[in-house]
Amino acid sequence: MSQNWQQPQQPGGYPQQPGGYPQQPAPPQQAGGYGSAQQPGYGYPQGQPQQPQQPQPQYGGGFPPPAPPAGRPGNPLLAVGAALVATVVGAFLYAFLLSAMANTDKTPPEVTQFAYAGVVVGALIGLAVAKLGGRNTGLWVVGAVLALAAVFLGELYGYAMILHDVLSNYADKIGGGASSQVLSSNEIFFDHFSDLWKSWKENSDALTYIFMALAPVAAVGTAYRISNR
């Protein structure tokens, strides 16, 4: 007569888990009394402490951020010298254009105000500062001051040229050798500067000062664009 087969119990009297499998015992503790430690589990090396892992920096998109752009190197002294030359050249160009666009046949002469000349002079000075001086905001301020000075000198010397043309036209009408006594533009500018200054102030208006202010703005704007390329 056959008997029902029963699974033998595990030594130690551990109860069986549902499904017929015996429950796993807890890992044995290492003998040694006070200060004994639990043995590491299966799969870990014996006696090797785990090293803490350093957190890795995370960057968006998996790439490190780009380095900040380096400033353009330059020579400040050379930049200031070139800006001074550009100031003198710009002042003469401004004066010549102001005189050429004035109508000296009328009494008093009609002077045309324009803004583009001041912007061109300022841009020329800003270009010289940025190309030779690099990304230097101090030089941008110097360029703005020189641009304002160039337009101011161009206005005064242009009025000196206009006064010379007016006196020449008047001398031609009078005749009798009066043309030989007409003052040149340089004489009016250097020898009679106070009279020239008074004449310019009387004929200037708010639009004149606004157009003059465009020159330093153009100088700084041009230097900023060139330096950031």
Side-chain angles (χ1 to χ4, degrees):
M1 181 175 180
S2 62
Q3 297 180 353
N4 293 331
W5 182 83
Q6 294 182 358
Q7 185 177 0
Q9 295 182 355
Q10 298 293 331
Y14 297 104
Q16 294 184 354
Q17 296 179 351
Y21 296 96
Q23 183 178 2
Q24 297 296 330
Q29 296 182 353
Q30 184 178 2
Y34 177 76
S36 61
Q38 186 177 0
Q39 293 182 357
Y42 176 78
Y44 293 93
Q46 301 293 332
Q48 298 292 335
Q50 297 182 3
Q51 299 293 334
Q53 296 182 357
Q54 299 293 334
Q56 300 295 331
Q58 301 293 331
Y59 301 105
F63 297 96
R72 182 192 297 269
N75 190 336
L77 294 179
L78 184 61
V80 172
L84 289 174
V85 175
T87 300
V88 175
V89 174
F92 275 106
L93 291 177
Y94 189 97
F96 177 79
L97 184 59
L98 185 65
S99 175
M101 296 184 65
N103 188 359
T104 57
D105 294 332
K106 291 185 177 181
T107 305
E110 182 180 348
V111 180
T112 303
Q113 299 289 342
F114 48 89
Y116 294 105
V119 173
V120 172
V121 171
L124 179 64
I125 297 174
L127 178 64
V129 167
K131 282 293 185 181
L132 301 177
R135 187 178 176 83
N136 190 333
T137 55
L139 292 178
W140 299 356
V141 176
V142 174
V145 174
L146 291 178
L148 183 60
V151 175
F152 177 70
L153 293 176
E155 282 276 339
L156 291 178
Y157 196 80
Y159 267 81
M161 297 175 67
I162 293 173
L163 290 177
H164 170 74
D165 292 340
V166 171
L167 294 176
S168 297
N169 293 336
Y170 183 75
D172 291 340
K173 293 179 181 179
I174 295 177
S179 58
S180 61
Q181 300 178 0
V182 175
L183 298 176
S184 64
S185 301
N186 291 334
E187 291 175 342
I188 296 173
F189 185 82
F190 293 104
D191 298 338
H192 303 275
F193 187 82
S194 59
D195 297 332
L196 176 64
W197 170 253
K198 293 178 182 179
S199 176
W200 179 79
K201 286 179 61 178
E202 292 175 357
N203 292 275
S204 300
D205 53 8
L207 195 61
T208 303
Y209 297 104
I210 293 175
F211 289 165
M212 289 177 60
L214 294 177
V217 174
V220 175
T222 302
Y224 176 79
R225 292 186 183 94
I226 297 299
S227 300
N228 288 314
R229 286 183 178 178

